[in-house]
Amino acid sequence: MNFDFDKLPNRRGTMSVKWDSDPDPEMLPLWVADMDFTTAPCIIEALERRVAHGVFGYTHPGKEYYDAVTGWFDRRHGWKFDPSQVIYTIGVVPAISACIKALTNPGDGVIIMTPVYTCFFSSIRNNGCRVVESPLKRTETSYAIDFDSLEDLCRDSTNKILLLCNPHNPAGRVWTHDELRRVNDICVAHGVTVISDEIHCEIVFKPHAYVPYATVATGPYVICCSASKAFNTAGLQCANIVSPDEKMRALIDRAININETCDVGPMGVTAVIAAYNDGEEWLDTCVQYIHGNYELLKERLGAMPGNLKALDLEGTYLAWVDVSSLDIPSAWLCDALKHEAHIWFTPGTEYGWAGEGYLRINLATSRAILTEALDRLQSWLQNR
């Protein structure tokens, strides 16, 4: 089947967070992490059939849902788990928050590898815990885990959780089997539980391969995952928490109910079943298209003034761009680009102090929109 990722629907005026949060009609928003692509046809068709039923009451996912979820990860990633290990909820951020609530006490430390997804910080603080940063080490073209720092922090008995991002947003790393196994060994040695956010696991570029943390783990862990990033269904609000530990699942299930995030809707459930049963061809084509956008970004940045550099992108559709050569604070730069060039990127400082000197660009849009945004960036750099 042919899928046209160059043809996009008009998202303005649809109450879109991405496109309607700024009234500027000329703004090109390449910030928040949702795609501009129409989702997979199999999902649209499944939702149309569900809408035709006409009743949208409370929904309880059944065997078809769990078979779709477990079948997908077994078939595509070699990760086998039992349906009894799955807890559904409305999103990965609520899932992370519930896991922290369930597995910590106020004042406990939660380790994160910065720069990292904004909501990691808020989820930790909202549960009364301490943010404990283990900054990633910058390499020439990417990042690496600072295992010495990580082990030092894990030795501190007040640090109870490692909140892992696999693949990593915004650094674009897809952690390898050896890296994850070393993370596991450190955490097991010091009694630290791993909560792994794996929402970006399907957007991975060859030769890299997503390794589910569960497949290397020998200690306690929880995986938070969703079809939402891969299939552009975040607004349908459906995600999963997976853990083999029955006692941990009971604590998490209780926390989800305390947070009142236990009820998913019929559309989200329908979309997940369709995506995981029939969406693989669409997804593979989408990933190829996004990688083409990344190649365009690298080529265009290399021809611009200012010596901007896109770091290696192994996974996610979020490019991490080094703008430190401009010697302009990231937040100021992004504000200037919004108001003067009408392009909306995300300042690196939203991902912690380690993000200063960087900005994040969402590549999940048409090549035409990306090209226009890069034209505007080049013009701004030439005339600043």
Side-chain angles (χ1 to χ4, degrees):
M1 185 179 294
N2 293 322
F3 307 105
D4 188 355
F5 292 96
D6 288 313
K7 184 179 180 181
L8 302 182
N10 180 8
R11 300 188 65 190
R12 295 191 193 277
T14 63
M15 296 181 282
S16 163
V17 169
K18 185 177 184 181
W19 283 86
D20 290 330
S21 291
D22 191 294
D24 179 358
E26 301 300 318
M27 186 66 67
L28 293 181
L30 281 74
W31 62 293
V32 68
D34 76 357
M35 298 180 179
D36 289 329
F37 310 131
T38 302
T39 192
C42 63
I43 296 175
I44 296 171
E45 292 162 8
L47 291 173
E48 287 173 343
R49 291 192 297 270
R50 186 64 183 83
V51 167
H53 180 264
V55 180
F56 312 108
Y58 297 121
T59 299
H60 186 275
K63 183 177 184 300
E64 187 180 5
Y65 177 86
Y66 292 106
D67 285 349
V69 173
T70 57
W72 173 271
F73 282 100
D74 183 5
R75 182 174 69 252
R76 191 170 173 92
H77 303 298
W79 173 24
K80 298 178 184 293
F81 54 92
D82 191 87
S84 65
Q85 298 178 6
V86 179
I87 302 171
Y88 60 81
T89 186
I90 62 173
V92 165
V93 172
I96 290 169
S97 182
C99 290
I100 294 171
K101 180 185 287 291
L103 303 177
T104 65
N105 293 309
D108 287 346
V110 178
I111 303 167
I112 55 176
M113 299 177 187
T114 53
V116 75
Y117 177 47
T118 313
C119 287
F120 278 22
F121 296 88
S122 58
S123 291
I124 294 166
R125 291 170 177 147
N126 288 343
N127 282 290
C129 293
R130 293 178 293 107
V131 173
V132 180
E133 296 189 44
S134 177
L136 296 171
K137 294 192 296 186
R138 173 66 196 271
T139 65
E140 184 177 352
T141 61
S142 187
Y143 284 94
I145 296 171
D146 187 335
F147 288 105
D148 291 336
S149 166
L150 178 63
E151 184 144 34
D152 284 345
L153 295 173
C154 287
R155 284 193 186 101
D156 184 340
S157 61
T158 67
N159 295 332
K160 303 296 186 181
I161 298 289
L162 169 63
L163 182 50
L164 180 68
C165 198
N166 174 44
H168 192 94
N169 169 23
R173 278 298 318 277
V174 176
W175 305 121
T176 66
H177 181 279
D178 289 346
E179 287 172 315
L180 292 175
R181 190 56 187 263
R182 192 169 176 187
V183 168
N184 167 80
D185 292 347
I186 290 170
C187 290
V188 169
H190 302 290
V192 173
T193 296
V194 175
I195 301 171
S196 187
D197 172 1
E198 305 196 351
I199 194 171
H200 290 279
C201 68
E202 305 301 341
I203 312 295
V204 173
F205 310 114
K206 295 178 180 179
H208 307 283
Y210 157 62
V211 179
Y213 182 79
T215 63
V216 306
T218 61
Y221 69 86
V222 181
I223 309 297
C224 301
C225 54
S226 173
S228 61
K229 285 291 182 282
F231 293 95
N232 201 26
T233 57
L236 298 180
Q237 297 192 309
C238 194
N240 294 299
I241 301 167
V242 183
S243 177
D245 189 301
E246 185 176 358
K247 291 182 179 178
M248 286 174 59
R249 289 200 307 273
L251 291 170
I252 294 166
D253 188 61
R254 177 60 183 152
I256 287 174
N257 280 271
I258 291 171
N259 288 351
E260 303 290 3
T261 57
C262 51
D263 292 325
V264 294
M267 298 306 175
V269 172
T270 298
V272 168
I273 294 169
Y276 285 161
N277 284 345
D278 300 306
E280 199 157 1
E281 182 183 0
W282 179 92
L283 176 61
D284 289 342
T285 308
C286 180
V287 170
Q288 291 173 8
Y289 187 91
I290 291 168
H291 191 261
N293 278 352
Y294 170 65
E295 293 294 338
L296 173 64
L297 174 73
K298 285 199 304 179
E299 178 185 343
R300 290 293 308 276
L301 289 180
M304 292 183 193
N307 197 30
L308 278 58
K309 296 179 181 178
L311 272 64
D312 291 347
L313 187 63
E314 300 173 356
T316 83
Y317 52 73
L318 305 163
W320 191 238
V321 179
D322 185 343
V323 295
S324 58
S325 59
L326 298 179
D327 198 26
I328 300 172
S330 296
W332 186 94
L333 173 62
C334 286
D335 188 65
L337 290 172
K338 277 185 71 174
H339 290 94
E340 297 171 19
H342 309 280
I343 44 177
W344 190 349
F345 304 141
T346 307
T349 44
E350 288 203 8
Y351 310 99
W353 64 267
E356 183 57 88
Y358 297 85
L359 54 81
R360 195 185 78 169
I361 301 177
N362 183 343
L363 299 176
T365 192
S366 71
R367 205 139 296 158
I369 288 177
L370 178 60
T371 297
E372 174 61 25
L374 293 173
D375 287 346
R376 295 182 189 185
L377 174 62
Q378 182 166 354
S379 177
W380 188 87
L381 289 168
Q382 290 169 340
N383 295 297
R384 74 182 183 95

